[in-house]
Amino acid sequence: MTTRRVQASAPGKVILLGEHAVVYGRPAIAVPLSGLHATVMVMPGAAGTGVVVEARDVGRTLRANQDTSDPLVVTVQNTLARLGVTDPGDLYLTIASDIPVASGLGSGAAVAVATIRALNAWLDGHLTDADVSALAYETEVLHHGTPSGIDNSVVTYEQPIVFTKARGVEPFVLGAPLTLVVGDTGIASPTRETVGDVRRAWQADPARYEALFDAVAETVRAGRAAIERGDAPALGAAMRRDHVLLQEMGVSGPELDALVAAAERAGALGAKLAGGGRGGNMIALVTPANALGVAAALRQAGATRALISQIV
Ligand code: MEV
């Protein structure tokens, strides 16, 4: 007899425009990164072990009855509660992910969404996308403190989205495919820290930060219109402007700025940091013809990885 197993995956993500300001109610645009995934498999566990979660890439094994405050265990417990399951029996969950942690690519949200979906499938649940996203949001709160909700949304719906806290996910159609190069500084930078720094800076000087967030919102509106009409040069200009605004917010850093400059020198239409900032990843908007050249320039400028991704 073969052992029953179910598995579910969720993609990484990048924020094209609007990170940080989205926490303060402004719009942002995010797209899934189909080249990077978190995958969770559920199978029966050894008798008497309860629920065990093995996070292979980070070398951790968690027991639901001991590691009760770990975000992975809390995700499992919240999902079981939402499904009305009090005793799931002995389960073994393995998590495998090629999305770098603390790098702005939505690793925490992807692991949460894949975990929720795998448990839902194992228990023959009927969770909708809205349910999955809401559960993953609860995990994002543990990781980030005050998340906007954009990461769990784009990872759950797995399509380009415009997101605002007030309206949630809005339908969004690309006028033409986009080619991005995602360059990694290799520096881990937890989103919780940069989001906290921006909050403190906003509290110290609300007028300045509200003006910066308004300028980001304008840039997002221009970028959205550019994406919808398939105008890559105009989107590139919006990305360049957004990077300057993020620098002014204090969330860029020398390594990110060096990669952004290298991408632009190599002919990118625009480039910016992506996600929480300080370290983590940046993105460059390119044409299919110069994607390889920009990726090579990023590696030469110190990127630990340069991933080419087509967004459709
Ligand atoms: C993180 O991917 C994006 C931030 O705007 C935080 C958030 O929206 O929760 C920095």
Side-chain angles (χ1 to χ4, degrees):
M1 202 182 73
T2 53
T3 307
R4 182 178 176 227
R5 285 157 197 255
V6 301
Q7 85 173 39
S9 289
K13 68 94 202 14
V14 288
I15 298 196
L16 278 188
L17 292 167
E19 52 274 90
H20 287 290
V22 68
V23 175
Y24 298 82
R26 275 49 165 207
I29 300 172
V31 297
L33 269 186
S34 50
L36 296 174
H37 276 92
T39 301
V40 175
M41 185 183 282
V42 185
M43 63 190 96
T49 53
V51 178
V52 175
V53 183
E54 185 197 351
R56 287 205 174 139
D57 311 291
V58 287
R60 296 169 67 213
T61 301
L62 304 158
R63 292 176 198 286
N65 51 11
Q66 287 169 14
D67 304 294
T68 47
S69 58
D70 185 279
L72 282 173
V73 171
V74 177
T75 306
V76 170
Q77 302 297 24
N78 288 346
T79 307
L80 295 175
R82 181 69 182 75
L83 290 166
V85 174
T86 44
D87 180 11
D90 300 312
L91 294 185
Y92 197 78
L93 279 73
T94 55
I95 300 171
S97 174
D98 51 16
I99 308 170
V101 177
S103 70
L105 300 184
S107 150
V111 167
V113 167
T115 302
I116 296 159
R117 288 215 165 112
L119 282 171
N120 183 50
W122 178 265
L123 295 162
D124 297 322
H126 296 97
L127 296 181
T128 63
D129 283 347
D131 297 329
V132 171
S133 186
L135 280 163
Y137 177 79
E138 291 179 32
T139 306
E140 288 287 285
V141 170
L142 301 174
H143 285 304
H144 297 173
T146 56
S148 61
I150 190 169
D151 286 14
N152 50 286
S153 297
V154 65
V155 165
T156 299
Y157 292 96
E158 210 165 331
Q159 61 185 35
I161 62 165
V162 175
F163 180 89
T164 48
K165 271 165 86 166
R167 290 192 295 279
V169 173
E170 276 181 64
F172 182 52
V173 178
L174 272 56
L178 302 174
T179 308
L180 297 178
V181 185
V182 184
D184 197 338
T185 61
I187 300 168
S189 177
T191 304
R192 175 188 277 279
E193 287 175 17
T194 50
V195 168
D197 289 349
V198 171
R199 183 159 301 274
R200 280 182 286 279
W202 170 72
Q203 280 162 346
D205 192 349
R208 174 160 178 261
Y209 273 74
E210 286 295 326
L212 283 170
F213 300 151
D214 283 342
V216 171
E218 233 0 273
T219 307
V220 173
R221 272 181 217 110
R224 175 185 183 162
I227 296 170
E228 286 177 330
R229 60 173 194 272
D231 184 346
L235 172 60
M239 289 167 63
R240 286 200 300 276
R241 168 100 184 111
D242 197 20
H243 186 70
V244 171
L245 293 167
L246 288 159
Q247 284 174 320
E248 287 176 24
M249 273 180 226
V251 294
S252 193
E255 296 83 2
L256 282 167
D257 289 345
L259 294 186
V260 165
E264 286 174 355
R265 273 197 310 274
L269 297 164
K272 63 178 274 291
L273 72 85
R278 197 109 346 117
N281 280 266
M282 49 71 68
I283 51 173
L285 179 66
V286 298
T287 61
N290 72 357
L292 283 174
V294 171
L298 286 175
R299 281 191 210 97
Q300 206 157 19
T304 53
R305 151 149 78 173
L307 179 84
I308 298 171
S309 188
Q310 184 85 3
I311 313 292
V312 290

